[in-house]
Amino acid sequence: MFIAGNWKLNCNISEAKTLSSGIIKCLLNKELNCEVAVFPPYICLDSVKKTIEDSNLKLGAQDCSIHKSGAYTGDISANMLFDTGCKYVIVGHSERRTGKCESNNDILSKVNNALEAGLIPIICVGESVEDRDDGRAIDVIKKQLDESVPKNINKNNIMIAYEPIWAIGTGRVPNNSSINEMLNMIKDWLVNNERDSSINILYGGSVNKSNAEEIFLCSNIGGLLIGGVSLKADEFSEICLMVN
Ligand code: PGA
């Protein structure tokens, strides 16, 4: 089981150090049955890396460039992130797919760069409320998988996160049968497309301490991608400690 805390565009360096050491403190001497990683903004990566050095927390980045190097002002490459101490990188988050017009093809480039750099990419997929209302949710996600998941993957080098866009930051969470339907569909896609079907599949979207226990009951769930609540050390840690 894997729990990811996506801090998004939050925290200055001092706040990032306080948040990461707060999580370490909450998890100290407790039985932790999952891998926990935090995903601070780029500028905080180095400070957080130093703060979590002797702990069981791992480090990830929220995105990487489609390019490896060159004249791409403002970009950060997968290699640079690996060099900074990241183990994971989120790619294809809906806030980038929609907000930054990222295509499935862009995401595939990022995934390949991440794999080549030795990072574990977490590929986000998910439908909009319109897709869902029009009965297109499954087709949209299958297309995202078809076009952004490479062939050379296995459970040790990649994860997939199902994040319905309408659930992100809204307080609306699909019921377990709906989450199960999507997780099973992604599993079936992996099997039917000759990919490793034991790849971890996470759920993300408005997870908090009151709904996490229920979500953990979903079959085939490999963990959680948590946004807003990952900024609260005590609540985030409480969710991590629910894994048994
Ligand atoms: P949320 O964000 O937990 O705040 O809904 C999840 C995400 O965007 O990964």
Side-chain angles (χ1 to χ4, degrees):
M1 197 72 83
F2 181 77
I3 311 288
N6 175 11
W7 296 0
K8 308 191 180 185
L9 183 56
N10 295 291
C11 293
N12 59 27
I13 290 175
S14 150
E15 290 163 341
K17 284 187 199 165
T18 306
L19 178 54
S20 43
S21 52
I23 298 168
I24 292 168
K25 212 161 139 202
C26 292
L27 297 178
L28 198 67
N29 299 327
K30 301 270 169 48
E31 191 188 324
L32 187 63
N33 297 310
C34 56
E35 172 130 316
V36 182
V38 290
F39 294 74
Y42 290 136
I43 57 132
C44 302
L45 286 172
D46 192 52
S47 313
V48 172
K49 181 192 139 191
K50 288 178 184 131
T51 309
I52 66 176
E53 222 149 40
D54 297 317
S55 77
N56 44 14
L57 273 189
K58 300 287 189 294
L59 188 66
Q62 299 173 18
D63 186 38
C64 67
S65 175
I66 60 170
H67 304 291
K68 290 182 184 163
S69 65
Y72 303 104
T73 304
D75 276 22
I76 305 279
S77 74
N79 271 319
M80 291 169 180
L81 295 173
F82 183 82
D83 194 36
T84 310
C86 288
K87 180 171 179 188
Y88 301 98
V89 63
I90 296 169
V91 291
H93 192 284
S94 61
E95 285 153 14
R96 298 205 61 89
R97 286 179 185 269
T98 27
K100 308 286 174 191
C101 302
E102 287 186 1
S103 67
N104 288 332
N105 203 41
D106 293 335
I107 291 150
L108 179 62
S109 303
K110 292 178 183 212
V111 173
N112 282 327
N113 289 348
L115 289 170
E116 215 174 289
L119 293 171
I120 298 176
I122 301 169
I123 308 179
C124 301
V125 296
E127 80 283 3
S128 67
V129 75
E130 295 80 16
D131 295 331
R132 173 158 283 241
D133 290 348
D134 294 348
R136 283 195 312 260
I138 288 178
D139 287 345
V140 165
I141 294 169
K142 276 190 181 157
K143 186 170 159 65
Q144 291 172 337
L145 294 168
D146 284 341
E147 296 179 2
S148 58
V149 179
K151 291 252 177 336
N152 55 330
I153 52 164
N154 60 61
K155 69 173 172 25
N156 298 315
N157 70 4
I158 208 160
M159 285 187 249
I160 295 173
Y162 168 57
E163 295 208 305
I165 299 171
W166 50 272
I168 296 176
T170 59
R172 288 180 62 203
V173 178
N175 61 29
N176 273 16
S177 85
S178 170
I179 297 177
N180 268 326
E181 182 190 12
M182 291 306 186
L183 297 181
N184 292 337
M185 183 275 288
I186 295 170
K187 268 263 176 262
D188 288 346
W189 183 92
L190 290 167
V191 173
N192 296 335
N193 289 277
E194 288 158 23
R195 308 301 207 282
D196 183 351
S197 62
S198 60
I199 282 169
N200 245 14
I201 309 172
L202 317 179
Y203 166 79
S206 293
V207 175
N208 58 40
K209 69 174 180 189
S210 314
N211 58 30
E213 211 143 24
E214 173 85 14
I215 299 171
F216 280 131
L217 297 176
C218 289
S219 56
N220 288 330
I221 190 143
L224 300 171
L225 179 47
I226 304 176
V229 164
S230 71
L231 299 169
K232 300 177 192 164
D234 49 354
E235 186 168 350
F236 179 70
S237 309
E238 219 176 299
I239 297 172
C240 298
L241 293 169
M242 284 177 190
V243 180
N244 48 36

